[in-house]
Amino acid sequence: MFLSVIVLVSFVVFILVVYLWRVERRNYRLRLKTLVLEKMRNEIEEKSEAEIGRVKDRMCELVGQLNESQKDKSELERQLEEQKDLLSQSIDKQKVEKSRREETRMSILKSASYVLSRQKLSAGKPLADTEWKQIEAEMDGILGDFKYLLYQAYNITKHEYHICLLIKMGFKNNEISILISRAPNAVSQARKRLVFKLTGKEGSASELDDFIKSMYHRHL
């Protein structure tokens, strides 16, 4: 009897340890994935503005040095011109990125997938599997590695990807509910779960929209 109790306790302890290990492993993967994508997103969103700020600060510093001293004036003037060039390049990069985002938005609005989705909404019908395949193929061409980033960074399902894709295409909650044949409340709950899945934090459905729309994508 005593031996049986020891075996049973050992088995329970083993199961508990395995369970805790799996929970910690899952949490670790979630934290890691969150850090990867947040870092990517922050780098893209903040790089241009931060770079412009650094260049402006450096220019102010050089102007101050020129005003305070005549020593090495030519060298300071040369550095100032370099910083002006960097500032111009940074602003140009920012303009290019804004232009690319606008081009992507316009490409989505002009796409056959967007037109099809709008037609299905007007008819009050969900998208069929064959239509989803058509949409995914066309959006892959427009959004580059958007799908790749979501599947690589997070263990999302196809259903969750469809929600993310429709958000990226600019559809609202009630429209998404029609296109995926789910109740609006069910879609809202799914979006809230996705917020936690993608960021590791509790959040609203609107926060998911902001996160998805801000995701940078490039062509592979």
Side-chain angles (χ1 to χ4, degrees):
M1 177 64 71
F2 180 74
L3 182 59
S4 299
V5 171
I6 293 178
V7 171
L8 179 60
V9 170
S10 299
F11 179 77
V12 171
V13 170
F14 173 78
I15 294 298
L16 181 60
V17 170
V18 171
Y19 172 78
L20 292 175
W21 176 76
R22 288 184 176 178
V23 169
E24 181 59 28
R25 186 181 179 188
R26 183 175 65 250
N27 291 339
Y28 172 78
R29 287 201 303 265
L30 179 60
R31 290 194 299 270
L32 181 61
K33 291 174 182 178
T34 299
L35 288 173
V36 169
L37 197 52
E38 283 187 347
K39 180 181 179 182
M40 185 183 302
R41 184 180 117 187
N42 291 335
E43 285 177 351
I44 297 302
E45 290 181 343
E46 299 173 4
K47 185 176 181 180
S48 295
E49 293 183 4
E51 186 177 352
I52 289 173
R54 285 194 298 270
V55 172
K56 285 183 177 179
D57 290 343
R58 179 56 178 160
M59 287 175 62
C60 290
E61 179 184 342
L62 290 170
V63 170
Q65 291 177 8
L66 280 170
N67 292 335
E68 291 176 2
S69 174
Q70 294 300 312
K71 293 181 179 179
D72 300 323
K73 183 178 180 180
S74 60
E75 175 61 20
L76 290 174
E77 289 176 340
R78 184 189 66 78
Q79 292 183 32
L80 182 58
E81 288 302 317
E82 287 182 354
Q83 296 303 312
K84 287 181 179 179
D85 289 340
L86 285 174
L87 177 61
S88 177
Q89 293 172 17
S90 297
I91 292 174
D92 288 343
K93 287 180 182 179
Q94 194 174 52
K95 289 180 179 178
V96 168
E97 186 53 42
K98 287 182 178 179
S99 176
R100 285 181 58 191
R101 287 197 295 268
E102 181 61 19
E103 287 177 4
T104 297
R105 189 181 74 85
M106 293 306 297
S107 295
I108 290 174
L109 295 179
K110 294 177 181 178
S111 68
S113 297
Y114 186 81
V115 173
L116 171 63
S117 299
R118 282 295 170 192
Q119 291 173 343
K120 300 292 284 192
L121 280 174
S122 297
K125 296 180 179 179
L127 291 162
D129 289 342
T130 54
E131 292 168 333
W132 271 118
K133 290 179 181 179
Q134 173 189 332
I135 291 172
E136 288 186 30
E138 186 174 21
M139 287 300 107
D140 282 348
I142 294 174
L143 299 178
D145 58 0
F146 175 72
K147 180 178 182 179
Y148 174 81
L149 288 175
L150 279 175
Y151 274 102
Q152 285 295 110
Y154 306 98
N155 186 29
I156 66 170
T157 65
K158 178 174 284 191
H159 173 70
E160 290 171 333
Y161 173 64
H162 286 168
I163 292 176
C164 293
L165 186 56
L166 290 172
I167 291 172
K168 192 72 170 177
M169 293 172 69
F171 291 102
K172 298 178 181 178
N173 191 79
N174 61 323
E175 295 173 327
I176 294 173
S177 71
I178 295 173
L179 293 174
I180 66 173
S181 190
R182 295 289 191 281
N185 185 59
V187 176
S188 294
Q189 293 301 317
R191 288 164 67 196
K192 287 181 181 179
R193 289 193 297 271
L194 270 168
V195 172
F196 184 80
K197 199 168 189 178
L198 298 181
T199 68
K201 303 175 184 177
E202 299 288 345
S204 64
S206 61
E207 288 179 298
L208 174 67
D209 294 6
D210 294 337
F211 184 84
I212 292 297
K213 290 177 181 178
S214 68
M215 278 186 65
Y216 174 76
H217 49 83
R218 62 188 184 280
H219 287 279
L220 292 169

